Amino acid sequence: MGTTMTAFPPVLRFADVGRDDVPAAGGKGASLGELIRAGIRVPDGFVVTTAAFRAAVAALDLGSRVTVLDPSDGDAVAAACTELRSIVESAPLPAEVAEAVTVAYARLAGECGQPDLPVAVRSSATSEDSAEASFAGLQDTYLWVRGADSVLTHVRRCWASLYSVESVTYRLRRGIPETDLAMAVVVQQMVGSRSSGVMFTRSPLSGDRSVVAIDASWGLGSAVVSGDVTPDSFVVSKVTGEIVRRTVATKTRWHQPDPGGAGVVESDVPANLRDVPSISDEEIAELVAIARQVEAHYGCPQDIEWAVSRTASPGENVFLLQSRPETVWAGKDAAAKPAVAAPTARAFDHVFNLLGGKPPSSPES
């Protein structure tokens, strides 16, 4: 354990990482730090680094139990994965890792004035921004997690997702060594989302770079990811700021924080909100301005996840939760190889494929 922790610490704050820190922070963690450096409003948090993963999982010697598996023997792989996931989820954490995560959570909660601050716990794989971005099992996300003990539990669950049937089979079929395995985990303050969604700084249908495509819905974005609601859709010209296409959907379901204090519950949208746009034209304009800023910072089109806080003041209530390079049309442009996914009818579907969500009928889910 001592050797793995000397490369970088078990926990890094978002402010301490940037786009070059994918080996330590994974794609999501590095991106969030980079957004903060670019002056974008991002809910604060920290990354449980790949060093922590290696310290916790290497001692379990699971690799030798994976490499002997035959990927064509589905039953054997499934049985082994069930056991491996259980081992990772239940194994005691190295003291240094557990203490670092507990201290980081307490500091974040203290800065926010909430001892049981709700956070999202999300896997941040070191390979997820590559051309073969998303493969099943590497996108575990847990919302509205409260308390250090629960954060530690959900960090282990993210790690354990590396031993899902899909992930193990993927590695076996492609000959990826178990010694190359690494995962960081993002722990990020939850936004009390009045509305949320994604935006795509390039048309997902045509690849047109002169527009921003925005999808939005009431409550947490997980309602759209799970297919429980059809979002509002807006296409906005980057040149004029004009909303060139506006589709307000009937939004019957939404996801809200569980009143019990942890997790998310699904319920009916109040009748007076169902056919009302979930974001205002002013918020659309701010989202487009932020999208252009992020795209300019990275120098390429972006897939962006965002939320509008129900409690923050107007002008300070739009937060970015994640941004990553667009890959489908970039791949078409480069013509280096076929795109990894077909363009989808809705920006929301396409972006959440890439951000790790699981929209209905997604080939990557």
Side-chain angles (χ1 to χ4, degrees):
M1 187 175 93
T3 56
T4 53
M5 299 305 251
T6 55
F8 37 84
V11 168
L12 291 168
R13 301 189 69 166
F14 288 170
D16 297 330
V17 298
R19 69 172 84 185
D20 296 329
D21 294 308
V22 172
K28 289 186 179 70
S31 171
L32 289 165
E34 187 69 25
L35 289 171
I36 289 174
R37 291 181 179 183
I40 304 297
R41 190 181 301 109
V42 172
D44 202 8
F46 58 91
V47 181
V48 184
T49 65
T50 53
F53 168 82
R54 291 192 174 101
V57 177
L60 303 177
D61 190 30
L62 304 182
S64 61
R65 301 171 64 169
V66 171
T67 53
V68 298
L69 294 171
D70 178 356
S72 64
D73 188 345
D75 290 342
V77 172
C81 287
T82 298
E83 184 178 1
L84 294 172
R85 291 189 73 150
S86 176
I87 290 170
V88 175
E89 289 183 13
S90 60
L93 288 173
E96 183 180 359
V97 173
E99 181 181 4
V101 174
T102 300
V103 168
Y105 175 79
R107 179 173 58 191
L108 180 65
E111 290 171 352
C112 297
Q114 289 183 257
D116 61 344
L117 179 74
V119 293
V121 181
R122 314 175 74 180
S123 64
S124 182
T126 56
S127 62
E128 66 189 349
D129 284 325
S130 69
E132 296 183 59
S134 236
F135 62 87
L138 288 188
Q139 285 78 36
D140 280 20
T141 292
Y142 301 96
L143 303 178
W144 234 262
V145 175
R146 294 178 184 267
D149 288 346
S150 186
V151 168
L152 289 169
T153 295
H154 288 89
V155 166
R156 283 197 293 256
R157 288 180 181 172
C158 285
W159 289 342
S161 71
L162 282 169
Y163 297 95
S164 69
V165 171
E166 298 87 352
S167 293
V168 167
T169 302
Y170 181 96
R171 296 198 297 275
L172 288 170
R173 291 193 184 281
R174 287 158 182 77
I176 299 173
E178 291 297 298
T179 52
D180 289 351
L181 216 53
M183 177 184 280
V185 178
V186 164
V187 179
Q188 184 177 29
Q189 178 187 355
M190 287 294 303
V191 174
S193 302
R194 185 207 76 211
S195 308
S196 57
V198 297
M199 54 186 169
F200 190 39
T201 70
R202 184 175 197 172
S203 168
L205 297 176
S206 67
D208 182 0
R209 294 189 60 171
S210 72
V211 298
V212 176
I214 301 173
D215 282 339
S217 190
W218 296 115
L220 300 172
S222 53
V224 177
V225 177
S226 63
D228 290 331
V229 68
T230 299
D232 299 329
S233 177
F234 308 93
V235 177
V236 186
S237 168
K238 290 179 186 173
V239 180
T240 66
E242 178 188 1
I243 301 173
V244 296
R245 193 178 80 224
R246 180 195 304 264
T247 306
V248 178
T250 299
K251 301 167 289 294
T252 57
R253 305 289 283 172
W254 63 0
H255 287 185
Q256 298 286 344
D258 187 339
V264 174
V265 293
E266 178 188 337
S267 59
D268 291 331
V269 172
N272 64 317
L273 295 179
R274 291 181 182 180
D275 296 302
V276 176
S278 50
I279 50 175
S280 67
D281 285 5
E282 292 76 17
E283 288 161 351
I284 291 171
E286 182 173 358
L287 284 167
V288 171
I290 294 171
R292 294 185 63 179
Q293 182 182 352
V294 173
E295 183 178 57
H297 180 79
Y298 280 103
C300 64
Q302 297 287 301
D303 301 335
I304 299 168
E305 184 181 350
W306 55 267
V308 177
S309 167
R310 68 172 70 252
T311 56
S313 304
E316 299 179 357
N317 61 344
V318 176
F319 291 85
L320 292 202
L321 308 179
Q322 176 65 28
S323 185
R324 55 163 291 136
E326 184 276 337
T327 58
V328 172
W329 284 100
K332 287 178 177 292
D333 288 347
K337 60 180 178 179
V340 297
T344 59
R346 297 180 301 163
F348 225 117
D349 289 343
H350 173 75
V351 177
F352 270 96
N353 282 345
L354 297 177
L355 290 176
K358 299 179 181 180
S361 303
S362 167
E364 297 167 352
S365 297

